[in-house]
Amino acid sequence: MTFVGKVLVTTAALVLAGSTTATANAAGPDTAAAQAPGGCFLGLVCGALDNRTNHAVYVAWADDDSGFDYAWVAPGTKKGGRWNDGIDVDYFFVETGCQATTNGWITWYDPGWYKITDDQTVTLNGYSC
């Protein structure tokens, strides 16, 4: 399942990693809440999501001022990273009623959007709903 495109939606709550709350829209992070668009840091370091779960995960990135791009990351695949596809993934989404895990099932993510920094590859290894 693959979807890439720009989406205009209504405002809702955004939960960033580190329990910071900011404004966002229901289908994606709010441009004002995101870091300045620009792609990979120095062209070398890009955010990425490595999906090692059995559930597709929605991601968002903004490389220019035209808004966010969105895509599904299929189970067992990766989106982002300089040496993968050159995309700087900025956020990943955990669906309502679900939880995702990473770091050997130590870190749990409740529903919402989570920030991925330029120097970070988030590896999800569990997803339950």
Side-chain angles (χ1 to χ4, degrees), residues 11 20 22 26 36 45 81 100 124 128:
T11 300
T20 304
V45 183
L124 295 180
S128 61

PDB file of all heavy atoms in Angstrom, residues 11 20 22 26 36 45 81 100 124 128:
ATOM      1  N   THR A  11      -7.623  21.018  12.177  1.00  0.00           N
ATOM      2  CA  THR A  11      -6.689  21.070  13.300  1.00  0.00           C
ATOM      3  C   THR A  11      -7.069  20.086  14.401  1.00  0.00           C
ATOM      4  O   THR A  11      -8.210  19.900  14.708  1.00  0.00           O
ATOM      5  CB  THR A  11      -6.653  22.490  13.880  1.00  0.00           C
ATOM      6  OG1 THR A  11      -6.236  23.370  12.849  1.00  0.00           O
ATOM      7  CG2 THR A  11      -5.680  22.590  15.029  1.00  0.00           C
ATOM      8  N   THR A  20       5.973  16.593  24.291  1.00  0.00           N
ATOM      9  CA  THR A  20       5.679  17.974  23.956  1.00  0.00           C
ATOM     10  C   THR A  20       4.404  18.004  23.130  1.00  0.00           C
ATOM     11  O   THR A  20       4.234  17.198  22.247  1.00  0.00           O
ATOM     12  CB  THR A  20       6.821  18.587  23.127  1.00  0.00           C
ATOM     13  OG1 THR A  20       8.011  18.447  23.878  1.00  0.00           O
ATOM     14  CG2 THR A  20       6.576  20.029  22.813  1.00  0.00           C
ATOM     15  N   ALA A  22       1.871  20.202  20.567  1.00  0.00           N
ATOM     16  CA  ALA A  22       1.814  21.350  19.670  1.00  0.00           C
ATOM     17  C   ALA A  22       0.578  21.218  18.808  1.00  0.00           C
ATOM     18  O   ALA A  22      -0.126  20.224  18.874  1.00  0.00           O
ATOM     19  CB  ALA A  22       3.071  21.406  18.809  1.00  0.00           C
ATOM     20  N   ALA A  26      -5.382  16.751  11.698  1.00  0.00           N
ATOM     21  CA  ALA A  26      -5.714  15.360  11.974  1.00  0.00           C
ATOM     22  C   ALA A  26      -4.943  14.377  11.105  1.00  0.00           C
ATOM     23  O   ALA A  26      -4.629  13.291  11.543  1.00  0.00           O
ATOM     24  CB  ALA A  26      -7.209  15.152  11.799  1.00  0.00           C
ATOM     25  N   ALA A  36      12.100  23.971  10.370  1.00  0.00           N
ATOM     26  CA  ALA A  36      12.191  24.562   9.048  1.00  0.00           C
ATOM     27  C   ALA A  36      12.463  23.480   8.012  1.00  0.00           C
ATOM     28  O   ALA A  36      13.335  22.644   8.204  1.00  0.00           O
ATOM     29  CB  ALA A  36      13.296  25.607   9.020  1.00  0.00           C
ATOM     30  N   VAL A  45      22.769  13.691   6.604  1.00  0.00           N
ATOM     31  CA  VAL A  45      22.045  13.088   7.718  1.00  0.00           C
ATOM     32  C   VAL A  45      20.552  13.351   7.545  1.00  0.00           C
ATOM     33  O   VAL A  45      20.124  14.497   7.521  1.00  0.00           O
ATOM     34  CB  VAL A  45      22.528  13.662   9.073  1.00  0.00           C
ATOM     35  CG1 VAL A  45      21.822  12.978  10.221  1.00  0.00           C
ATOM     36  CG2 VAL A  45      24.034  13.513   9.198  1.00  0.00           C
ATOM     37  N   GLY A  81      16.276   8.492   5.009  1.00  0.00           N
ATOM     38  CA  GLY A  81      17.689   8.170   5.195  1.00  0.00           C
ATOM     39  C   GLY A  81      18.492   8.476   3.941  1.00  0.00           C
ATOM     40  O   GLY A  81      18.075   8.159   2.834  1.00  0.00           O
ATOM     41  N   ALA A 100       2.775   1.760  19.379  1.00  0.00           N
ATOM     42  CA  ALA A 100       3.955   1.260  18.678  1.00  0.00           C
ATOM     43  C   ALA A 100       5.101   1.204  19.675  1.00  0.00           C
ATOM     44  O   ALA A 100       5.107   1.928  20.677  1.00  0.00           O
ATOM     45  CB  ALA A 100       4.314   2.177  17.514  1.00  0.00           C
ATOM     46  N   LEU A 124      10.757   0.844  14.479  1.00  0.00           N
ATOM     47  CA  LEU A 124       9.602   0.305  15.172  1.00  0.00           C
ATOM     48  C   LEU A 124       9.643  -1.204  15.088  1.00  0.00           C
ATOM     49  O   LEU A 124       9.796  -1.766  14.004  1.00  0.00           O
ATOM     50  CB  LEU A 124       8.307   0.822  14.547  1.00  0.00           C
ATOM     51  CG  LEU A 124       8.049   2.326  14.667  1.00  0.00           C
ATOM     52  CD1 LEU A 124       6.715   2.695  14.007  1.00  0.00           C
ATOM     53  CD2 LEU A 124       8.067   2.772  16.117  1.00  0.00           C
ATOM     54  N   SER A 128       0.582  -2.603  17.953  1.00  0.00           N
ATOM     55  CA  SER A 128      -0.632  -3.330  18.337  1.00  0.00           C
ATOM     56  C   SER A 128      -1.807  -2.384  18.430  1.00  0.00           C
ATOM     57  O   SER A 128      -1.660  -1.227  18.827  1.00  0.00           O
ATOM     58  CB  SER A 128      -0.411  -4.062  19.663  1.00  0.00           C
ATOM     59  OG  SER A 128      -0.121  -3.129  20.682  1.00  0.00           O
TER      60      SER A 128
END
